[in-house]
Amino acid sequence: MWLGFFALVLLVLAFDLGILNKENHEIEVAESLKLSALYITLGLLFGVGVWWLKGPDPAIDYVTGFVVEKALAMDNVFVIATIFAFFAVPRIYQHRVLFWGILGVIVLRAIMIGFGAALVNEFSWVLYVFAAFLIATGVKMLFVGDKERPLGENPLVKFMRRHLNVTDEHHGERFFVTKPDPKTGRMTRYVTPLFMALVMIEIADVIFAVDSVPAIFAITTDPFIVYTSNIFAILGLRALYFALAAMVHRFEYLKMALSFVLIFIGAKVFAADLLGIDKIPPAISLGATFAILGAGVVWSLWKTRGREPEAG
């Protein structure tokens, strides 16, 4: 199953880069939605395969994890859009950054999930730590919200500018360029703003994984379900980004819905113990997740109808 999964992911990435996006081009909203539908369909079909190979409960856990991770990834779109705007990344090169970012995500999530699985397997009480963390995170999102500092004040951005040779302008789709040093005249290796954007997106994913990895472990501790639901949800983020970035202002209440989802997922771990059962039935978890997120999306679209995106 692991070999089949990785073979499928490599096939999808090769098809994406080698056929669909062989030449750099700006991805419009219509194309973004079509590609997103393709990726979502592929992810759900994989869930059918999980049902056939592992049974109904693991399949429902997979779909629940897929939906939660997809929703959390949607929340990440605003951060990615902010990064692209700060580094003035042209739309024609944004897909390239997101593609290489996905490759980094596949590796980073494997490390984090592998570490989490080892912890849960060795120390079962860690699952309760994850659950408490999710509840605390959900409450914080609900009542405190986000207070992000300007990207120009980010310590990592300052570090890269201080310790790396950075060009002020983009050089097409290149992450690195070689050009004369203005002080010495020697040929020197420089990183471009495109590379800095890639680094910041990878770091943003690590930060978001701090929420998403405990969330999926609170749904299931099966490493295969945990990892595959994560990766299939994120695989389609590149395609979905270009549509969501154009209408992110329409999902004003999605973060509130996500906070309730995190609280619910964390709380059901403790509820199962109080009820004297192994876990809350997967069908209930999936139904509640769909209901909360669906309500958040519908309410957002209703409250923001007719609203235009903010300039800049």
Side-chain angles (χ1 to χ4, degrees):
M1 291 178 67
W2 280 106
L3 289 175
F5 165 71
F6 282 116
L8 181 58
V9 169
L10 290 175
L11 183 63
V12 168
L13 292 176
F15 176 72
D16 190 324
L17 189 64
I19 299 177
L20 294 181
N21 296 283
K22 188 175 183 179
E23 301 293 336
N24 284 322
H25 68 286
E26 293 189 18
I27 298 179
E28 301 298 335
V29 173
E31 181 183 358
S32 173
L33 291 173
K34 290 177 183 177
L35 289 174
S36 299
L38 176 64
Y39 276 109
I40 291 173
T41 301
L42 186 62
L44 294 177
L45 285 176
F46 189 82
V48 174
V50 173
W51 185 301
W52 181 55
L53 293 170
K54 295 175 73 72
D57 282 356
I60 295 175
D61 285 339
Y62 165 85
V63 174
T64 305
F66 177 82
V67 171
V68 170
E69 182 59 39
K70 180 68 74 175
L72 289 169
M74 288 172 64
D75 192 43
N76 201 8
V77 165
F78 176 75
V79 176
I80 295 174
T82 301
I83 292 171
F84 280 152
F86 178 79
F87 291 106
V89 178
R91 281 180 59 88
I92 194 171
Y93 302 127
Q94 289 178 5
H95 182 274
R96 174 176 169 79
V97 176
L98 292 173
F99 177 84
W100 288 105
I102 283 296
L103 295 183
V105 167
I106 291 173
V107 175
L108 289 172
R109 290 291 174 100
I111 294 171
M112 296 182 72
I113 289 172
F115 182 67
L119 277 178
V120 171
N121 186 59
E122 188 70 22
F123 309 104
S124 58
W125 52 264
V126 170
L127 196 59
Y128 298 98
V129 175
F130 284 169
F133 173 77
L134 289 175
I135 295 173
T137 301
V139 171
K140 177 178 178 293
M141 288 173 60
L142 194 60
F143 294 105
V144 178
D146 295 328
K147 296 181 180 179
E148 298 178 2
R149 69 171 65 178
L151 202 55
E153 299 177 11
N154 185 283
L156 182 56
V157 173
K158 291 182 176 180
F159 177 86
M160 287 191 288
R161 285 179 168 167
R162 189 179 302 118
H163 294 87
L164 299 175
N165 297 312
V166 182
T167 63
D168 293 326
E169 67 286 339
H170 288 278
H171 291 262
E173 63 177 21
R174 299 169 69 182
F175 292 124
F176 305 95
V177 294
T178 301
K179 66 177 191 175
D181 188 305
K183 295 181 180 179
T184 65
R186 295 179 179 176
M187 298 302 290
T188 306
R189 192 76 161 170
Y190 284 78
V191 301
T192 68
L194 205 66
F195 174 80
M196 295 180 68
L198 174 62
V199 171
M200 295 305 297
I201 287 174
E202 294 288 6
I203 295 300
D205 177 73
V206 172
I207 294 171
F208 273 85
V210 173
D211 290 338
S212 63
V213 171
I216 188 64
F217 270 110
I219 294 169
T220 176
T221 56
D222 184 333
F224 182 78
I225 303 299
V226 170
Y227 188 64
T228 55
S229 61
N230 257 253
I231 298 306
F232 269 111
I234 295 172
L235 272 178
L237 177 62
R238 301 185 324 286
L240 191 59
Y241 166 78
F242 296 96
L244 287 180
M247 52 184 183
V248 69
H249 62 288
R250 297 296 310 278
F251 295 97
E252 181 178 332
Y253 296 94
L254 178 62
K255 188 177 289 291
M256 181 183 295
L258 283 171
S259 67
F260 282 117
V261 168
L262 293 180
I263 292 170
F264 166 74
I265 292 173
K268 74 186 188 67
V269 174
F270 295 104
D273 268 3
L274 292 176
L275 296 172
I277 58 178
D278 183 48
K279 62 185 292 188
I280 299 297
I284 294 178
S285 297
L286 179 59
T289 301
F290 264 120
I292 295 170
L293 292 176
V297 170
V298 171
W299 184 247
S300 294
L301 294 176
W302 172 258
K303 294 291 288 185
T304 61
R305 63 192 185 282
R307 180 185 300 180
E308 296 295 329
E310 295 181 7

